[in-house]
Amino acid sequence: MEGDCLSCMKYLMFLFNFFIFLGGACLLGLGIWVIVDPTGFREIVAANPLLFTGAYIMLAMGAMLFLLGFLGCCGAIRENKCLLLFFFMFILLIFLAELSAAILAFIFRENLTREFFTKELKKHYQRNNDTDVFSSTWNSVMITFACCGVNGPEDFEAIPPYSSVEKATPEACCQRELQSREGMFVDKEACLSGNERFQNRQGCYTVILNSFETYVYLAGALAIGVLAIELFAMIFAMCLFRGIQ
């Protein structure tokens, strides 16, 4: 009976580690895509130190989960106590790191409010100055998502400088036939002169929130699932470790 339980635990351990292996592969692939994506998302990520760091953390975590899932599968099938102990210690460290990251994200979630982004935009945005990383990033976001400012074009009314050449509405808020920097303007002159028909009037905060709302819940559910799988895998690893003679 004891041998049957040990055999059952071994295959359950293998199954859980296989899921960890797949989860690590997904994170690894996603991290690589974010860093090398040629469609402009890389520019946005690279311009924001927090996002840039997060992309590399995701890449590192994916690679580590990929490796540990593989080692866990090998340790379970071969009943190797050294591999099982190695797996348990490292998966515990990853589990604690992910839990800490989730707690920090919850604590600092107020930094992602509409008011925070509006204040930062009005403070740092330099309109069509593409040599400024902050301004170039915002222009890329507005062009990609066909939006304007955080709340709308009114966000730029108090942002200097004003001149006969540079209008209140930045070029990035003008409608384009194709939503990319290479896309032709529908009517640039009418847009810059204040004609709302040729401007993107919706704020980027609402557009991006609506675009990623489904993915945020999906990512949250995936994170909870990964934590649960890691917890069960650690329990099975320790039980299997103690059961191997």
Side-chain angles (χ1 to χ4, degrees):
M1 186 65 182
E2 184 178 346
D4 292 338
C5 289
L6 188 63
S7 179
C8 179
M9 196 173 298
K10 178 175 73 173
Y11 288 109
L12 284 173
M13 171 75 179
F14 176 84
L15 183 63
F16 278 115
N17 277 282
F18 181 70
F19 284 125
I20 290 174
F21 175 81
L22 289 181
C26 290
L27 281 178
L28 188 62
L30 185 60
I32 293 172
W33 176 79
V34 168
I35 292 170
V36 305
D37 175 51
T39 60
F41 192 62
R42 178 186 179 185
E43 180 182 350
I44 298 170
V45 172
N48 189 316
L50 185 61
L51 290 177
F52 188 73
T53 304
Y56 276 99
I57 290 175
M58 182 169 58
L59 189 66
M61 294 294 287
M64 190 168 290
L65 284 175
F66 181 87
L67 176 62
L68 288 178
F70 177 77
L71 291 175
C73 288
C74 292
I77 291 298
R78 298 182 61 184
E79 298 185 8
N80 188 307
K81 296 185 74 171
C82 182
L83 283 177
L84 287 172
L85 184 61
F86 176 81
F87 166 81
F88 176 84
M89 296 301 296
F90 274 84
I91 207 70
L92 177 63
L93 289 175
I94 293 173
F95 180 85
L96 293 175
E98 290 173 344
L99 199 59
S100 301
I103 293 171
L104 287 174
F106 179 79
I107 292 173
F108 293 106
R109 68 190 187 281
E110 64 272 8
N111 289 339
L112 300 178
T113 61
R114 185 188 296 269
E115 292 74 20
F116 171 79
F117 285 116
T118 302
K119 183 177 70 173
E120 290 297 303
L121 179 70
K122 292 182 177 180
K123 182 179 180 181
H124 300 292
Y125 186 68
Q126 298 179 22
R127 298 181 177 276
N128 300 320
N129 182 8
D130 284 337
T131 60
D132 177 67
V133 174
F134 184 89
S135 304
S136 176
T137 300
W138 261 105
N139 288 336
S140 296
V141 169
M142 292 189 291
I143 292 170
T144 301
F145 290 95
C147 57
C148 189
V150 178
N151 308 287
E154 63 274 9
D155 289 343
F156 299 102
E157 292 176 359
I159 298 178
Y162 294 114
S163 67
S164 57
V165 177
E166 191 171 61
K167 306 297 182 180
T169 303
E171 291 182 5
C173 287
C174 295
Q175 293 180 7
R176 298 169 183 253
E177 295 177 1
L178 179 66
Q179 292 306 318
S180 68
R181 286 185 176 272
E182 293 74 29
M184 296 291 293
F185 291 100
V186 175
D187 192 330
K188 181 179 175 180
E189 295 301 323
C191 167
L192 296 179
S193 65
N195 191 326
E196 296 183 2
R197 288 180 53 197
F198 302 100
Q199 295 176 353
N200 296 315
R201 304 293 300 176
Q202 194 167 12
C204 292
Y205 189 88
T206 301
V207 171
I208 295 175
L209 197 63
N210 291 338
S211 299
F212 288 100
E213 185 176 13
T214 304
Y215 299 103
V216 168
Y217 289 119
L218 183 62
L222 182 62
I224 293 172
V226 168
L227 288 174
I229 290 172
E230 289 173 356
L231 183 61
F232 279 110
M234 286 190 292
I235 293 172
F236 283 122
M238 186 50 61
C239 290
L240 187 59
F241 177 85
R242 291 171 60 89
I244 295 173
Q245 299 299 324

